[in-house]
């Protein structure tokens, strides 16, 4: 979840708390008008103003984003303690209706049930119990407690409710911890699966021996390049065949042939630019696609590759006179890939017929 989404959620949560304050103030004024609250009208207005002011400050913190500067951006513990303080202040002036408003204590604690750590939640619950018990003891000490037995019963009921809430909070926190651990484990498994999928895609798209793209992946990439061609764009396409490769296999063995193929892949990788598509087309044949290439650039790239391959020296093998032949063609918009490959193959055949170790272009053949 992004920081913006979390901040939006915290603002909605504060709006819920502010709405609860509004309902509590309505009941507070109902208690004043019905005579169950000892506060005067002026005291009620002052209390209401202070409550509204405290919520306005909190609202400003959340709307301005300054809550993010605190260790706990939700300010859950502060909001719970503030709510408990206002509740105790209101309860101090209630008489027979005190038990009715006692329900707000658990309601305030529920606000922090999913966000407060267990130790902080228990600390807030202990504060609730001692605040209410101290309030009744003080009034009993001053002989202003209307019904001591009822007050003792209310303290006992509050103790049971708070004890249950603490136990339930522990259960909730343990459940959230287990869910978080499972989520992390699931995320780790998903990351592992993504890595395996990427490796599988690489295996499917890559020739195992040379590390270059395989024929299937090249055809997919080339088809996409042709579909995305803009008007006036020209691509270069070349088929490359290693000369006398069968003789190398017959004289020196297939291991030597594999080493030659790997050597070509290393040389070719150094000769092409980023964005060029080089693949093993089959056996000792390779294919090269150069996006946005004119005849001169295509010819220069293929000649550079041909000359570099003739200078390759294989370690531990006396294979000399390595060479390759190249057939080149140009691909324009709306050209068919199969036709372009056929044209490059015909140019490659001409290079082989003319003595190998050379680059032949299809456009030169057509001009002839």
């Amino acid at each position: 979840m992004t920081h913006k989404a979390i901040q939006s959620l915290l603002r909605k949560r504060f709006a819920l708390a502010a709405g609860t304050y509004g309902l509590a103030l309505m009941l507070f004024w109902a208690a004043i008008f019905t005579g169950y609250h000892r506060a005067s009208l002026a005291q009620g207005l002052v209390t209401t103003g202070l409550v509204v002011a405290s919520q306005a400050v909190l609202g400003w913190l959340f709307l301005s984003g300054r809550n993010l500067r605190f260790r706990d951006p939700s300010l859950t513990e502060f909001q719970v303690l503030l709510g408990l303080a206002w509740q105790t202040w209101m309860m101090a002036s209630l008489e027979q209706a005190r038990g009715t408003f006692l329900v707000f204590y658990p309601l305030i604690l529920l606000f922090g049930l999913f966000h407060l750590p267990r130790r902080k939640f228990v600390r807030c619950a202990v504060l609730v119990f001692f605040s209410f018990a101290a309030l009744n003891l003080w009034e009993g000490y001053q002989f202003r407690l209307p019904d001591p037995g009822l007050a003792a019963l209310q303290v006992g009921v509050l103790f049971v409710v708070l004890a249950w809430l603490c136990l339930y909070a522990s259960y909730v926190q343990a459940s959230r911890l287990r869910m978080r651990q499972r989520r992390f484990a699931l995320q780790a498994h998903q990351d592992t699966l993504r890595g395996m999928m990427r490796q599988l895609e690489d295996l499917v798209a890559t020739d195992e021996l040379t590390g270059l793209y395989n024929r299937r992946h090249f055809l997919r990439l080339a088809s996409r390049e042709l579909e995305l061609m803009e008007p006036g764009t020209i691509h270069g396409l070349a088929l490359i065949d290693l000369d006398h490769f069968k003789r190398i296999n017959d004289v020196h063995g297939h291991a030597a042939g594999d080493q030659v193929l790997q050597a070509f892949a290393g040389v070719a990788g150094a000769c092409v630019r980023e964005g060029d598509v080089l693949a093993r087309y089959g056996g000792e044949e390779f294919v090269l696609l150069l996006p946005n290439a004119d005849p001169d650039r295509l010819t220069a790239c293929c000649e550079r590759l041909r000359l570099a391959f003739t200078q390759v020296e294989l370690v531990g093998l006396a294979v000399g006179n390595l060479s390759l032949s190249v057939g080149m063609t140009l691909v324009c918009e709306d050209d068919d890939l199969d036709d372009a490959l056929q044209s490059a193959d015909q140019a490659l055949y001409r290079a082989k017929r003319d003595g190998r170790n050379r680059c032949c272009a299809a456009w030169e053949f057509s001009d002839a």
Side-chain angles (χ1 to χ4, degrees):
M1 185 178 293
T2 63
H3 290 291
K4 186 177 180 180
I6 294 176
Q7 183 70 351
S8 176
L9 188 62
L10 293 179
R11 289 170 181 170
K12 292 178 181 178
R13 187 165 169 264
F14 165 75
L16 176 63
T20 306
Y21 271 101
L23 296 176
L25 286 175
M26 291 174 59
L27 295 175
F28 169 72
W29 280 101
I32 292 177
F33 289 135
T34 55
Y36 286 103
H37 200 285
R38 293 196 298 262
S40 63
L41 184 61
Q43 292 174 335
L45 289 174
V46 172
T47 301
T48 301
L50 291 174
V51 171
V52 172
S54 65
Q55 294 307 295
V57 171
L58 283 172
W60 172 75
L61 286 175
F62 282 104
L63 292 176
S64 65
R66 285 177 170 80
N67 61 304
L68 298 175
R69 300 179 181 179
F70 295 90
R71 178 177 298 179
D72 178 17
S74 67
L75 301 176
T76 299
E77 186 178 16
F78 177 78
Q79 292 190 74
V80 169
L81 293 176
L82 183 63
L84 295 178
W86 285 124
Q87 171 69 6
T88 304
W89 173 264
M90 182 180 65
M91 297 279 282
S93 299
L94 288 170
E95 295 180 350
Q96 291 91 347
R98 183 171 293 170
T100 303
F101 282 81
L102 197 64
V103 69
F104 278 99
Y105 275 132
L107 187 62
I108 295 170
L109 289 176
L110 286 175
F111 182 78
L113 181 65
F114 294 97
H115 296 272
L116 287 178
R118 181 173 56 184
R119 182 175 300 177
K120 291 184 177 181
F121 187 88
V122 172
R123 186 168 61 198
C124 291
V126 171
L127 179 62
V128 168
F129 177 76
F130 281 105
S131 297
F132 186 73
L135 181 63
N136 285 278
L137 288 174
W138 177 252
E139 290 193 347
Y141 176 75
Q142 293 184 331
F143 299 101
R144 290 193 298 109
L145 200 59
D147 190 343
L150 180 60
L153 181 60
Q154 291 172 350
V155 171
V157 170
L158 181 62
F159 176 81
V160 173
V161 172
L162 293 176
W164 185 89
L165 280 176
C166 289
L167 293 175
Y168 186 68
S170 299
Y171 168 76
V172 168
Q173 293 295 333
S175 299
R176 292 189 66 191
L177 179 60
R178 287 195 297 269
M179 291 179 62
R180 187 180 297 110
Q181 292 173 342
R182 291 174 182 175
R183 185 170 66 250
F184 288 157
L186 179 60
Q187 185 176 359
H189 288 313
Q190 289 175 341
D191 293 340
T192 303
L193 182 60
R194 291 191 190 98
M196 295 175 64
M197 289 296 294
R198 285 193 294 268
Q199 292 178 358
L200 182 60
E201 290 174 357
D202 292 340
L203 290 175
V204 172
T206 305
D207 175 64
E208 183 179 0
L209 178 62
T210 62
L212 301 176
Y213 291 136
N214 57 28
R215 177 173 181 158
R216 177 181 298 178
H217 191 64
F218 170 81
L219 293 176
R220 182 163 55 247
L221 292 178
S223 299
R224 188 192 313 166
E225 286 287 343
L226 296 185
E227 291 174 359
L228 298 177
M229 286 183 68
E230 298 180 356
T233 303
I234 298 177
H235 291 347
L237 182 67
L239 281 177
I240 305 166
D241 188 84
L242 305 187
D243 296 333
H244 305 297
F245 185 77
K246 183 178 183 302
R247 186 173 62 190
I248 294 175
N249 278 334
D250 293 341
V251 174
H252 301 280
H254 290 281
D258 291 345
Q259 191 172 347
V260 170
L261 294 174
Q262 292 171 342
F264 168 81
V267 169
C271 291
V272 299
R273 67 177 182 177
E274 185 178 359
D276 297 340
V277 183
L278 176 66
R280 186 180 181 187
Y281 201 60
E284 71 275 17
E285 197 170 35
F286 298 84
V287 62
L288 175 64
L289 177 68
L290 274 67
N292 301 318
D294 55 21
D296 292 338
R297 198 180 79 78
L298 177 60
T299 302
C301 178
C302 293
E303 283 292 343
R304 183 170 61 250
L305 176 58
R306 183 185 66 83
L307 293 175
F309 186 64
T310 60
Q311 299 174 6
V312 170
E313 294 183 3
L314 301 178
V315 179
L317 289 176
V319 180
N321 300 323
L322 291 176
S323 65
L324 55 82
S325 302
V326 184
M328 303 176 296
T329 189
L330 297 176
V331 185
C332 300
E333 185 185 9
D334 297 329
D335 283 352
D336 184 74
L337 180 60
D338 290 336
D339 292 342
L341 289 170
Q342 181 65 28
S343 177
D345 187 62
Q346 291 176 358
L348 176 62
Y349 174 77
R350 184 183 180 194
K352 291 281 190 181
R353 186 192 62 188
D354 292 346
R356 296 183 174 87
N357 192 21
R358 66 189 65 239
C359 299
C360 288
W363 59 86
E364 294 176 350
F365 181 71
S366 61
D367 291 341

